Amino acid sequence: MSLPENFNGWEHLQKTYMLEYNRRVDKFFSDVQGNGDLSNVRSSLKLACRLVDGDNEATWSLRTSLFFDVIGYSRKNLSIFYGSNIDTALPVAGHPQLFLYFSQDSQAVPLNGKRLDHEKSCRLTRYACKSGQSLPAVTKANLLDIAHEIKAQFVSGGKGIIYTAGKLSVSYTDPANGFPKGTRWLVNSKSEAIELYGKLCNVIDRPFDINKMNVNTPEKDSTTQVINTTDTILGKQYKQYAYRPVANLRFRYAYVSFGGSASPIFLIDTTFRNTALIA
């Protein structure tokens, strides 16, 4: 089919680019209603990122640079290193490792405060990382099942569930079922830890045993998230960190790591920054 006589290639390119670009902006800011406003940080960012008819070349460049470079959308799916390259082998080494990441909503971070986050992991002891071992190697179908279970347990209404972090340090030790010694969850109540560990056990299809849980309650109280006190080290001043502040953390994404040089596989990502097995 031939192009119309009055076809303008540059105008067609602009309209196509704008349509596809704004579609990605809308997906990234899916938690924001409409095209954005000035009511909160994310809504304001969406308003600043979306291309609109009438933008001049400078505005076009600033909007796309803000979205792709500053916010970092263009860096998704790049090779990212997780963990430390001097980690020693754990008793559950050889099994894929499942990570769940949680963080504060940006609008909940106090002025001059630090955004809090937490990452929790366990091992998929039903599977091996690679073939040739006594257990079956994990397959894409296995990971899809786990991804759907994560969505059922940790996502509600299209958003990650929220738990309240605090000063209680709760560990769960069951190496045979994927929980080696040394991991912990900082929570504000024991009941919340029971619910979170129960959900994680459901995800990996392992039994939850409350007798394998250990709760440590420090005498020191949680401090506020914003600390004005500073320490002087080698002549430089550094702000002190808040001690286990009480804050709401939301589930963001989950991925599986296989160790070595293999890239992690994202199972689900509510931030849309990484290509995941399920939406």
Side-chain angles (χ1 to χ4, degrees):
M1 184 177 180
S2 59
L3 296 174
E5 291 184 3
N6 60 347
F7 175 74
N8 186 316
W10 172 240
E11 184 176 344
H12 174 259
L13 173 60
Q14 284 183 304
K15 288 182 178 179
T16 303
Y17 185 93
M18 183 181 296
L19 179 65
E20 289 300 312
Y21 169 85
N22 283 339
R23 185 174 65 83
R24 284 162 173 75
V25 171
D26 292 342
K27 185 177 181 180
F28 184 81
F29 291 100
S30 61
D31 57 312
V32 177
Q33 298 295 321
N35 292 333
D37 50 46
L38 301 178
S39 60
N40 57 64
V41 175
R42 282 187 60 78
S43 183
S44 178
L45 280 172
K46 181 178 181 180
L47 179 65
C49 288
R50 290 189 97 257
L51 293 174
V52 296
D53 288 332
D55 280 345
N56 58 32
E57 185 176 343
T59 305
W60 183 295
S61 178
L62 282 173
R63 291 190 196 279
T64 55
S65 178
L66 172 64
F67 185 57
F68 287 123
D69 301 324
V70 179
I71 296 178
Y73 185 85
S74 62
R75 295 191 292 272
K76 72 174 188 175
N77 298 326
L78 297 179
S79 178
I80 302 172
F81 183 79
Y82 297 89
S84 168
N85 57 8
I86 59 172
D87 288 345
T88 56
L90 299 171
V92 288
H95 301 288
Q97 190 169 10
L98 172 66
F99 290 86
L100 275 68
Y101 177 76
F102 303 79
S103 68
Q104 265 186 304
D105 289 340
S106 57
Q107 61 267 31
V109 180
L111 184 65
N112 298 324
K114 178 185 177 183
R115 186 176 185 177
L116 300 179
D117 62 359
H118 180 73
E119 191 170 65
K120 182 65 185 172
S121 72
C122 63
R123 294 279 179 159
L124 306 179
T125 53
R126 291 184 178 274
Y127 310 106
C129 287
K130 56 187 178 181
S131 57
Q133 297 178 282
S134 57
L135 289 172
V138 68
T139 65
K140 184 176 180 180
N142 299 143
L143 295 181
L144 278 170
D145 288 341
I146 294 171
H148 284 295
E149 189 59 32
I150 292 172
K151 186 174 184 178
Q153 297 288 336
F154 289 95
V155 177
S156 178
K159 295 182 179 181
I161 65 166
I162 291 175
Y163 80 90
T164 304
K167 72 174 185 177
L168 270 66
S169 175
V170 183
S171 61
Y172 185 77
T173 306
D174 187 2
N177 287 316
F179 297 89
K181 187 176 181 180
T183 59
R184 66 176 185 174
W185 220 318
L186 291 178
V187 294
N188 201 41
S189 68
K190 178 181 176 181
S191 60
E192 194 149 36
I194 293 173
E195 181 179 0
L196 289 169
Y197 276 115
K199 286 178 175 291
L200 193 49
C201 286
N202 286 337
V203 165
I204 63 175
D205 195 20
R206 288 304 199 186
F208 171 71
D209 185 352
I210 194 172
N211 294 314
K212 296 178 179 178
M213 198 170 76
N214 180 63
V215 181
N216 177 267
T217 307
E219 293 296 329
K220 184 178 180 179
D221 290 331
S222 296
T223 52
T224 59
Q225 195 173 330
V226 179
I227 301 294
N228 294 320
T229 309
T230 59
D231 291 323
T232 302
I233 302 174
L234 296 177
K236 292 185 178 181
Q237 289 192 334
Y238 299 88
K239 274 193 173 184
Q240 293 181 357
Y241 283 111
Y243 178 74
R244 299 183 183 181
V246 177
N248 290 330
L249 303 186
R250 187 185 298 277
F251 170 73
R252 302 295 180 186
Y253 54 74
Y255 64 93
V256 171
S257 174
F258 302 93
S261 59
S263 298
I265 294 180
F266 281 81
L267 306 183
I268 182 171
D269 183 2
T270 66
T271 71
F272 303 109
R273 294 184 178 180
N274 303 281
T275 301
L277 292 184
I278 65 172

